[in-house]
Amino acid sequence: MLDWVRTAGFHRRTGRRAAGAALAAWLGAAGAAEGGGAPGYGAGIAAQERPAGADVTFTREIAPLLLMHCGACHQPGGVAPFSVLTYADVRPWARAIRQSVRTRSMPPWKPAPGYGGPFVAERRLSGAEIDLIARWVDGGAPEGDPADLPPTRRRAPDAGWRLGAPDLVVEMPEPYLLPAGGDGDDVLRKFALPIPIPETRYVKGVEFQPGNPRVVHHANLKIDPTPASRRLDAEDPEPGYEGVTPFDARFPFGYFLGWTPGQARPLEADGMAWRLDPGSDLLVELHLTPTDEPQPVRSRVGFYFTDEAPTKVPFTIRLGKQDLDIPPGAADYRSVDRYVLPVDVEVHGVQPHAHYLAEEVRGYATLPDGTRRPLIRIDDWDFHWQDFYRYETPFVLPRGTELAMEFTYDNSARNPDNRFAPPRRVTWGQDSSNEMGDLWIQVVPVRPADLGPLTRDRRPTELAEDIVGFEMELAADPDQVMMHDDVASLYLQFGRIDEAAAHYRESARLRPGSPAAAYNLGTTLLQAGALDEAAGELERALRLNPDYALAHNNLGAVFRLQGRLADAVRHFRRSLAIRPDDGEALYNLANALMMQGALDEAAALYRRAVDAAPDAPEPAAELAWLLAAHPDPARRDPARAVALAERAAALTGRVQPAVLDVLAAAYAAAGRLDRAVATAETALGLVPADRGDVAAVIRQRLDGYRRALAEPPAPRR
């Protein structure tokens, strides 16, 4: 068990464009808000004759359009510069509204029409709707009869919720004061908030309220089942912290929970809720854009629960390359990635992600018969308007379909979003001064049993790509301690122990007083078989923190391998004194006691380990062996041995010869010799060719089962 942490999440931005620049289109050629010295709408229209179309009124035709397509941002306390909830709010901005909808700069909806979709809650006005707004403005922008108004979806910033009253609200306990910033540097700050639920709940939706939309650019919402995020937050004297995202703080499996201005993720479809366990923390990652004066930020999140357990479990396929290296001046740099589906899937949504240099985004699927189906296309990518796009009607892509993404980047001086003048080389990285390019595709396997094969097929590729990206970042800045930990943990997942040890060694060098850094290095050296060096690092971790239970456990493992059983037992016992229900320490101590011949205490510890880790096959198999073959027949329990061994075999997919060897012994102890023979034969067939020693032991026992099966039954007396 390793004690590592991981860097993840969204990014810092240091661009020339202000956070609200995307809203400037409301003004454009139409001027600022009418009145106060700006070119006035009233003075220009009132003197004219009202043309045809003057019968279009705000209350009857325009208010429903604005509420549907613009109300998410344009409301009191929203991110937009004015509200559209009342006629008095809208009237001074009539000409600016007409101009912005004609140019389609508002409402901000990036996907190109006819390429993917239709998507849920599209903020796209039809040509007829644009013409209707223009007719209303050109007709004098009359109010109409107030009785014609639709129900107002007014939402006070600290009161109502767009999805209705939440079942639970999790809020920052105190505001964070964002310092004033005049240098263009954005702030990425994270807040760990306990989720007070007494039992497991199923979440069908979340709604994020930024608290101060003027400075909250976007947010990510992750769930941490461990106290790691909380500890990092507590170490910072101010609310929240900057820096690493713990390894276990992640989006719910198959979901990407984020918020951008205007985004209103609807409740999940029936059967698509996700599980939330008690004791979890909500990690709110905020991308903040400082203004010329300090700003308080106090965000909150509403949870919507359902009693319906999920019947569909999604998986999010991430396409994207992390070897981006964009030369200065390159105006058409491309990043392409592809993946062939190993199973049939139902596609539910897509979410592209990139930084400032991205220009065009393409996602499409090529079916086995050559038919190409578009997933999404964005022709004018904008870092400030990123969204999750859910299809109104999910659709099936068959096995053998190739998913593809193509992103185009412009690193030339002509790109107004290029934050460097003159342009400079830009590589992959999590900071907004770097670049990224991912297309997340949320799918549900048509056959639930295919979720495992899909995950196993895709995740290694994505993790390998993560390694490429982290190594690029470390090449540019080798002193990023947490990133060394991050990439080391990925190398371990691929069994690349030497590379992992090299990064943990560098992390330990950069943090000489960190017990976790010494522990990580020592544990990796243990896996590499460098026992003496591993012992030295783990002992250093314990000098820094004598109550480090995991270090005691792993140092005990080192001593056991070195034959120092008494020292091993001492450290295993110390680990258990600190963490009495640790299944791994219980199992390790039981093994050491078995080697010392203390079988009764070992059996008791194996039982505790089975209870503490019911899904772990090792303690179940060891206890089964002891109950089947205990030297004292009075201590045997063949029926229990069979049950435990069958559980261990099921947990390992019935492909581990050692576990099947135990199951055969349990069958033999229970008098089921035919099953013992068949199981031992299967075990023997699974032994690798280079493990003749293991094969010899199983063959010897198999011969015994065969002889016993061939013996005539004893005569009855």
Side-chain angles (χ1 to χ4, degrees), residues 10 208 216-221 257-260 284-287:
F10 262 132
F208 175 78
V216 180
H217 182 271
H218 67 247
N220 283 335
L221 310 176
L257 300 184
W259 174 88
T260 53
V284 180
E285 299 178 336
L286 297 184
H287 181 146

Side-chain angles (χ1 to χ4, degrees), residues 79-247:
V79 297
F82 64 92
S83 170
V84 297
L85 298 186
T86 70
Y87 178 71
D89 293 331
V90 173
R91 177 64 170 74
W93 297 87
R95 283 172 53 192
I97 292 173
R98 176 184 59 186
Q99 173 69 11
S100 62
V101 299
R102 276 179 168 171
T103 61
R104 293 195 178 274
S105 59
M106 286 285 161
W109 183 254
K110 307 309 292 183
Y115 197 98
F119 299 105
V120 173
E122 289 194 4
R123 298 188 301 270
R124 192 197 316 276
L125 293 175
S126 68
E129 290 169 330
I130 292 172
D131 289 343
L132 190 66
I133 292 173
R135 287 172 56 201
W136 173 66
V137 175
D138 293 340
E143 178 179 12
D145 187 348
D148 293 334
L149 276 173
T152 301
R153 298 189 298 177
R154 179 182 296 275
R155 173 173 73 91
D158 294 320
W161 299 80
R162 287 153 62 186
L163 295 177
D167 298 301
L168 174 68
V169 176
V170 176
E171 185 174 24
M172 293 166 53
E174 57 180 316
Y176 166 68
L177 189 63
L178 177 67
D183 55 4
D185 286 341
D186 290 2
V187 173
L188 179 61
R189 197 159 183 90
K190 304 168 186 181
F191 304 85
L193 311 178
I195 305 175
I197 53 173
E199 59 187 2
T200 295
R201 302 301 304 267
Y202 300 112
V203 182
K204 64 179 179 180
V206 295
E207 181 175 337
F208 175 78
Q209 290 188 356
N212 188 342
R214 182 181 179 189
V215 297
V216 180
H217 182 271
H218 67 247
N220 283 335
L221 310 176
K222 297 179 179 178
I223 305 298
D224 190 348
T226 76
S229 298
R230 198 181 318 155
R231 284 198 297 263
L232 290 169
D233 196 330
E235 290 171 0
D236 194 303
E238 297 184 66
Y241 71 97
E242 291 188 42
V244 64
T245 292
F247 183 81

